Amino acid sequence: MKAYESDLLQLLDERGYIHQVTDSGALDQLAAKQVVPGYIGFDATAPSLHVGSLVQIMMLRRLQQTGHKPIVVMGGGTTKVGDPSGKDESRKLLTGDAIQDNIASIRTVFERLLTFGDGPSDAVMVDNDEWLSKLGYVELLRDVGPHFTVNRMLTFDSVRLRLDREQPLTFLEFNYMILQAYDFLELARRYGCRLQMGGSDQWGNIVNGIELSRRMEGRELYGLTTPLLTTADGAKMGKTASGAVWLNDDQLPAYDFWQYWRNCDDRDVGRFLKLFTDLPLHEIAKLEALEGAEINDAKVVLANEVTKLVRGDDAAEAAEATAKETFAGGGAGEDLPSLAVGADGMRIGAVLTEIGFTASNGEAKRKIAEGAVKIDDAAIIEPGFLVAPADGETLKLSLGKKKHGLITR
């Protein structure tokens, strides 16, 4: 671990956030003597961000915890274009109203994790549509275009990988990196922003913004990226077999969110506690050292702490209580996902898929054949089994040891 003077870089380093920094010495000195406004940009392509974005949100939280100013940039303008980074195909373009609705929904999570206001280190949320939609095309070509070469743009992973696979990359998406670079310049002008942070796949875009600002206005800006975040088994953060792990309450029940963290790989516990909770490092070291069945205690702490931050204390307490009732007591906690099948009932395969336990009826059949499916703790082995609870009856559906739900009429 490198020795830093500033609280900001020291905290980011000891908790495992730092992958690359453009000029760590200069940024460290700057952060040690003054408030550094720093930003991260987020797409507005859905009503919620998912767990894959949480490490970036936590970076903004760390920025504020060490006395600096977080700038949350919602991509109302760039969402109209689409970021090709890490994508195999073009994104569906949204209407302006849909984008604004998404931004309003996404803001609710940031309000739990950051303090917004007018103070020197209070967070602000801005929409890059404010300036990008006002840019004249000829003006952009004349003022910004000369600072980019197609030769260099073609070397960026977000472009090169798409072309190597012979997949279409529209001219619209090709312009995305220019718009993101311009964002950094505009934020420096408007808010005195000195730092852009992001995932490792954003390194090229961040460097573009730094170079553009230096060439056009002689500004000294900085960039910092996090490592590519995957689980111990190599899976991408935020994705599960049954879909994305959404941060917003109305996109994913609190119990499912809590269970995602409770079910993490033993090898990920310490790393996740550092990245996604505010627990002191000495407490994390003790939890990380637990072995055997005791590591599950550390996972419960992880699930509780992350759920408290993202969903609130009540959600964490209810989710843990449901888990205890379901797993320890053999009952069926009221916070479990539920499905009403109607008076005529529903075949077990369709039930498993409809409630989100399996991705398809084919997968459901395989799970039934494996003996992994139970209703009220009795194994279901017939793929055509009709699930038909009586009026007022609630059945507990289980898939393996970790997925449980409630079936009603």
Side-chain angles (χ1 to χ4, degrees), residues 11-17 62 273-275 277 279 284:
L11 178 64
L12 293 179
D13 188 37
E14 65 190 13
R15 285 191 173 258
Y17 291 97
R62 303 305 184 206
L273 284 166
K274 290 176 185 175
L275 292 172
T277 81
L279 288 179
I284 292 174

Side-chain angles (χ1 to χ4, degrees), residues 152-161 177 203-205 208:
R152 187 157 185 267
M153 291 168 77
L154 288 171
T155 66
F156 282 73
D157 285 348
S158 57
V159 174
R160 183 178 52 79
L161 293 175
M177 64 181 75
W203 178 253
N205 288 333
N208 268 343

